[in-house]
Amino acid sequence: MSRVSIASKLVRSLSILGVTIVLVTAASSAPAQQQQPQQRNGFQLRVFKDEAGSHKYSVFVPAGYTPAKKWPVILFLHGAGERGTDGLLPAGIGLGPLVKAREANFPFLVVFPQNEEVRGRILTGWSPDSPDGKRALAILAQVEKDFSVDPKREILTGWSMGGYGAWEIAATNPERWLSVVPLSGGGDVTLAEKLKNVPVWAYHGARDKVVRPEGTRNMVEALKAAGGQPRYTELADGDHNIWTQVYDDDRLFSWMLSPKSDPATLRAVTSRPPMPAGQTSKIVPEPPFVPALDVPRAMYVRMGNEMLAALADSIPKVVPRESLSGYLNDISDSTEAEGYQFSVYMSGITYSAQLVRANVKAYQKDRLNVQLGLSNVQVTIGGTSVTGDSHSANAGPISVIIGHQRPVWLTFDVTPVVVDRRLRLKLVATGFNIPSDNWYVSGPSGVSVRGFGLTRDKVSSGLVNGIYGKKGTIEREVAAVVPKLIAQMEQKLDVTQFNKSAVGGIWPLPVYQPRLRIWPAEVSTDDKGVSLVLGVTAAAVDPSKPPKQVQVVQPVGPSAAQVPLVTTLQIGMSPQTLAPLSELLVQADVARIHVEIGRA
């Protein structure tokens, strides 16, 4: 039932938080469970043998494990995407990564059996009557034989397909389990009578489109009607993959051991160390994206002038203040005063400004005009030196204030182009004009002079008048920051925001969605707006088996010249994009759903 493809989850389990590295090491050093040293801690890959053959599974052994103590044990049932025979996948998605984050003080043994029936029915994959359901309990029994386990503290939890399994397996022997925690699952409400005395804390995401939250709601209501007292948490912003939130809550693990208590009153039995500075709280890193399929002209975005105007209104609110500050080039000049020739050198020139308004408009073919209304532009000249044959002077900071009464406009024209699948803005022209009544120059501070007849007042007034006379130079220097602004704008022109919605909007199935990257293919500007055509690259389903070369299919959508010239916003995606994406999944043998009348 996972929303992520099987192969994508395989890669996650091969890279996530070091879990698999530990498991692979265990597998290579001790292929059979009987040969593994029980005192070793952390994740172990082990083998269970029965009449059907050998079956790999994973087990987590707590730090400080000793047979002298009886340890609680958790049986985790994974989702449909982790089915297989490698023994690794079950520990890579769901409970495993959150245990890994707490391995220094996680006080449970954790058992990760693997469902091997990849072509069977999903919702009953962990049925206690199925071979995999029976084997999961047999593996738990084997772990309890090999390790020192407290039989009165057995805990059952599962996610998605495993959530369904948790309800069913708990109902088969309800007295066995200290607590049961189903996630993103559902069950047969007729089991409620058997489960009414089982401590249950069920979770579901309100935005789950794979397994509707009604599946859990109905089970909880049936338990209450039967006289049970289940706990139920529905995450308002949660989708199907709520395990990243639920298993990251330390209160849950405390409740597992004391299910009759209020979690808020319990002492924490485990905790995750604080994240290092600069590191995100994301538990699961993205797997490698290995390109396998290119679909040019898969979708388009039309931004008409009405939309561009609306976007421009928000620019002053989102542009970081630091992007409107920086350094200008030093200025060297010469001047003559009272018959003397002087060289003037201005250094340490900085600028800052407030962006109060913005306009963006396409006005002709390949032309986009951007206007930035700047207020309180301050240009500070850090130091000025004046040197002549027998006279010299040095002055402290001089401030030039522009736009103190009303905004002044920095304008530039650009041509949007696509270069190496990146949207770029080619600068065509710039303009910056300072109205004479909307700027002033403050006198310098700390003036020192050398030479007969050269006074501080003369130097100060001379510098101020000289700057007033250099208005054109100041205008050119301010306009020279436009390339920097354009570079910052290009960094913001990231179309990957469409990656999730591109497939989610048209994909007919809630599972096995391909992983995509969106890239600019063509761009065209006219007097009504901008048309951007996007290509799609799909990742290989199994990144460990990359194709020899990326398959490129024929363009399926309109060219930039064929995009409707609307003046508002329009986003379109060609339905023909589905065909090559579906074929990619078919060839990988993952796009399979067991269809059967009655229960899924």
Side-chain angles (χ1 to χ4, degrees), residues 545-565:
K545 299 178 181 178
K548 294 182 179 179
Q549 61 182 18
V550 177
Q551 178 187 358
V552 181
V553 303
Q554 292 296 319
V556 294
S559 65
Q562 297 170 324
V563 172
L565 302 182

mmCIF file of all heavy atoms in Angstrom, residues 545-565:
data_model
loop_
_atom_site.group_PDB
_atom_site.id
_atom_site.type_symbol
_atom_site.label_atom_id
_atom_site.label_comp_id
_atom_site.label_asym_id
_atom_site.label_seq_id
_atom_site.Cartn_x
_atom_site.Cartn_y
_atom_site.Cartn_z
ATOM 1 N N LYS A 545 20.044 -0.628 -10.973
ATOM 2 C CA LYS A 545 20.113 -1.212 -12.314
ATOM 3 C C LYS A 545 19.797 -0.136 -13.346
ATOM 4 O O LYS A 545 18.740 -0.135 -13.969
ATOM 5 C CB LYS A 545 19.132 -2.374 -12.434
ATOM 6 C CG LYS A 545 19.396 -3.520 -11.460
ATOM 7 C CD LYS A 545 18.354 -4.613 -11.594
ATOM 8 C CE LYS A 545 18.607 -5.740 -10.607
ATOM 9 N NZ LYS A 545 17.559 -6.803 -10.696
ATOM 10 N N PRO A 546 20.692 0.839 -13.503
ATOM 11 C CA PRO A 546 20.422 1.944 -14.417
ATOM 12 C C PRO A 546 20.426 1.480 -15.869
ATOM 13 O O PRO A 546 21.114 0.519 -16.222
ATOM 14 C CB PRO A 546 21.580 2.911 -14.136
ATOM 15 C CG PRO A 546 22.685 2.034 -13.640
ATOM 16 C CD PRO A 546 22.017 0.936 -12.871
ATOM 17 N N PRO A 547 19.658 2.145 -16.722
ATOM 18 C CA PRO A 547 19.672 1.783 -18.146
ATOM 19 C C PRO A 547 20.985 2.196 -18.790
ATOM 20 O O PRO A 547 21.702 3.067 -18.285
ATOM 21 C CB PRO A 547 18.499 2.599 -18.703
ATOM 22 C CG PRO A 547 18.395 3.770 -17.795
ATOM 23 C CD PRO A 547 18.755 3.260 -16.428
ATOM 24 N N LYS A 548 21.288 1.547 -19.917
ATOM 25 C CA LYS A 548 22.523 1.888 -20.620
ATOM 26 C C LYS A 548 22.470 3.323 -21.129
ATOM 27 O O LYS A 548 23.495 3.998 -21.190
ATOM 28 C CB LYS A 548 22.750 0.903 -21.767
ATOM 29 C CG LYS A 548 23.022 -0.524 -21.301
ATOM 30 C CD LYS A 548 23.278 -1.448 -22.477
ATOM 31 C CE LYS A 548 23.567 -2.880 -22.002
ATOM 32 N NZ LYS A 548 23.794 -3.807 -23.136
ATOM 33 N N GLN A 549 21.305 3.768 -21.536
ATOM 34 C CA GLN A 549 21.132 5.151 -21.936
ATOM 35 C C GLN A 549 19.702 5.580 -21.664
ATOM 36 O O GLN A 549 18.796 4.745 -21.563
ATOM 37 C CB GLN A 549 21.449 5.336 -23.423
ATOM 38 C CG GLN A 549 20.564 4.544 -24.365
ATOM 39 C CD GLN A 549 20.970 4.741 -25.821
ATOM 40 O OE1 GLN A 549 22.072 5.189 -26.109
ATOM 41 N NE2 GLN A 549 20.071 4.437 -26.735
ATOM 42 N N VAL A 550 19.502 6.864 -21.489
ATOM 43 C CA VAL A 550 18.180 7.392 -21.195
ATOM 44 C C VAL A 550 17.308 7.285 -22.449
ATOM 45 O O VAL A 550 17.710 7.717 -23.531
ATOM 46 C CB VAL A 550 18.266 8.856 -20.733
ATOM 47 C CG1 VAL A 550 16.872 9.422 -20.494
ATOM 48 C CG2 VAL A 550 19.108 8.963 -19.474
ATOM 49 N N GLN A 551 16.139 6.699 -22.296
ATOM 50 C CA GLN A 551 15.204 6.588 -23.409
ATOM 51 C C GLN A 551 14.510 7.928 -23.621
ATOM 52 O O GLN A 551 13.986 8.534 -22.689
ATOM 53 C CB GLN A 551 14.156 5.508 -23.131
ATOM 54 C CG GLN A 551 13.117 5.364 -24.235
ATOM 55 C CD GLN A 551 12.000 4.413 -23.847
ATOM 56 O OE1 GLN A 551 12.017 3.829 -22.761
ATOM 57 N NE2 GLN A 551 11.011 4.257 -24.727
ATOM 58 N N VAL A 552 14.511 8.412 -24.858
ATOM 59 C CA VAL A 552 13.869 9.672 -25.202
ATOM 60 C C VAL A 552 12.694 9.374 -26.120
ATOM 61 O O VAL A 552 12.879 8.804 -27.202
ATOM 62 C CB VAL A 552 14.848 10.645 -25.879
ATOM 63 C CG1 VAL A 552 14.145 11.962 -26.209
ATOM 64 C CG2 VAL A 552 16.064 10.898 -24.992
ATOM 65 N N VAL A 553 11.493 9.730 -25.696
ATOM 66 C CA VAL A 553 10.306 9.490 -26.505
ATOM 67 C C VAL A 553 9.970 10.733 -27.306
ATOM 68 O O VAL A 553 10.493 11.827 -27.061
ATOM 69 C CB VAL A 553 9.108 9.087 -25.618
ATOM 70 C CG1 VAL A 553 9.435 7.863 -24.793
ATOM 71 C CG2 VAL A 553 8.707 10.229 -24.703
ATOM 72 N N GLN A 554 9.078 10.582 -28.271
ATOM 73 C CA GLN A 554 8.657 11.717 -29.084
ATOM 74 C C GLN A 554 7.881 12.715 -28.232
ATOM 75 O O GLN A 554 7.168 12.331 -27.315
ATOM 76 C CB GLN A 554 7.778 11.230 -30.239
ATOM 77 C CG GLN A 554 8.521 10.412 -31.272
ATOM 78 C CD GLN A 554 9.594 11.235 -31.986
ATOM 79 O OE1 GLN A 554 9.381 12.395 -32.333
ATOM 80 N NE2 GLN A 554 10.748 10.622 -32.195
ATOM 81 N N PRO A 555 8.045 14.027 -28.510
ATOM 82 C CA PRO A 555 7.270 15.027 -27.764
ATOM 83 C C PRO A 555 5.778 14.743 -27.845
ATOM 84 O O PRO A 555 5.262 14.414 -28.922
ATOM 85 C CB PRO A 555 7.630 16.343 -28.463
ATOM 86 C CG PRO A 555 8.961 16.081 -29.102
ATOM 87 C CD PRO A 555 8.941 14.641 -29.506
ATOM 88 N N VAL A 556 5.099 14.847 -26.729
ATOM 89 C CA VAL A 556 3.680 14.495 -26.696
ATOM 90 C C VAL A 556 2.774 15.713 -26.496
ATOM 91 O O VAL A 556 1.568 15.630 -26.703
ATOM 92 C CB VAL A 556 3.405 13.480 -25.564
ATOM 93 C CG1 VAL A 556 4.104 12.164 -25.851
ATOM 94 C CG2 VAL A 556 3.840 14.023 -24.205
ATOM 95 N N GLY A 557 3.341 16.828 -26.070
ATOM 96 C CA GLY A 557 2.526 18.010 -25.808
ATOM 97 C C GLY A 557 2.804 19.129 -26.786
ATOM 98 O O GLY A 557 3.573 18.976 -27.742
ATOM 99 N N PRO A 558 2.187 20.302 -26.560
ATOM 100 C CA PRO A 558 2.361 21.427 -27.483
ATOM 101 C C PRO A 558 3.730 22.062 -27.349
ATOM 102 O O PRO A 558 4.383 21.986 -26.308
ATOM 103 C CB PRO A 558 1.265 22.396 -27.038
ATOM 104 C CG PRO A 558 1.058 22.094 -25.590
ATOM 105 C CD PRO A 558 1.262 20.620 -25.450
ATOM 106 N N SER A 559 4.178 22.710 -28.432
ATOM 107 C CA SER A 559 5.386 23.516 -28.381
ATOM 108 C C SER A 559 5.054 24.857 -27.734
ATOM 109 O O SER A 559 3.888 25.181 -27.491
ATOM 110 C CB SER A 559 5.938 23.729 -29.785
ATOM 111 O OG SER A 559 5.025 24.507 -30.554
ATOM 112 N N ALA A 560 6.080 25.660 -27.490
ATOM 113 C CA ALA A 560 5.841 26.966 -26.882
ATOM 114 C C ALA A 560 4.957 27.835 -27.756
ATOM 115 O O ALA A 560 4.126 28.601 -27.266
ATOM 116 C CB ALA A 560 7.170 27.659 -26.600
ATOM 117 N N ALA A 561 5.109 27.705 -29.071
ATOM 118 C CA ALA A 561 4.306 28.504 -29.988
ATOM 119 C C ALA A 561 2.845 28.068 -30.017
ATOM 120 O O ALA A 561 1.978 28.810 -30.483
ATOM 121 C CB ALA A 561 4.899 28.430 -31.392
ATOM 122 N N GLN A 562 2.563 26.859 -29.542
ATOM 123 C CA GLN A 562 1.195 26.327 -29.578
ATOM 124 C C GLN A 562 0.453 26.484 -28.258
ATOM 125 O O GLN A 562 -0.726 26.146 -28.167
ATOM 126 C CB GLN A 562 1.237 24.840 -29.959
ATOM 127 C CG GLN A 562 1.791 24.581 -31.360
ATOM 128 C CD GLN A 562 2.048 23.104 -31.614
ATOM 129 O OE1 GLN A 562 2.461 22.375 -30.708
ATOM 130 N NE2 GLN A 562 1.814 22.666 -32.849
ATOM 131 N N VAL A 563 1.106 26.991 -27.228
ATOM 132 C CA VAL A 563 0.463 27.174 -25.935
ATOM 133 C C VAL A 563 -0.584 28.294 -26.041
ATOM 134 O O VAL A 563 -0.303 29.346 -26.626
ATOM 135 C CB VAL A 563 1.506 27.516 -24.852
ATOM 136 C CG1 VAL A 563 0.826 27.901 -23.545
ATOM 137 C CG2 VAL A 563 2.442 26.340 -24.631
ATOM 138 N N PRO A 564 -1.787 28.105 -25.510
ATOM 139 C CA PRO A 564 -2.819 29.157 -25.567
ATOM 140 C C PRO A 564 -2.328 30.450 -24.940
ATOM 141 O O PRO A 564 -1.759 30.454 -23.851
ATOM 142 C CB PRO A 564 -3.983 28.547 -24.762
ATOM 143 C CG PRO A 564 -3.764 27.072 -24.836
ATOM 144 C CD PRO A 564 -2.286 26.878 -24.863
ATOM 145 N N LEU A 565 -2.567 31.572 -25.626
ATOM 146 C CA LEU A 565 -2.058 32.862 -25.174
ATOM 147 C C LEU A 565 -3.022 33.528 -24.197
ATOM 148 O O LEU A 565 -3.515 34.635 -24.429
ATOM 149 C CB LEU A 565 -1.796 33.773 -26.380
ATOM 150 C CG LEU A 565 -0.822 33.236 -27.426
ATOM 151 C CD1 LEU A 565 -0.612 34.265 -28.534
ATOM 152 C CD2 LEU A 565 0.507 32.868 -26.786
#
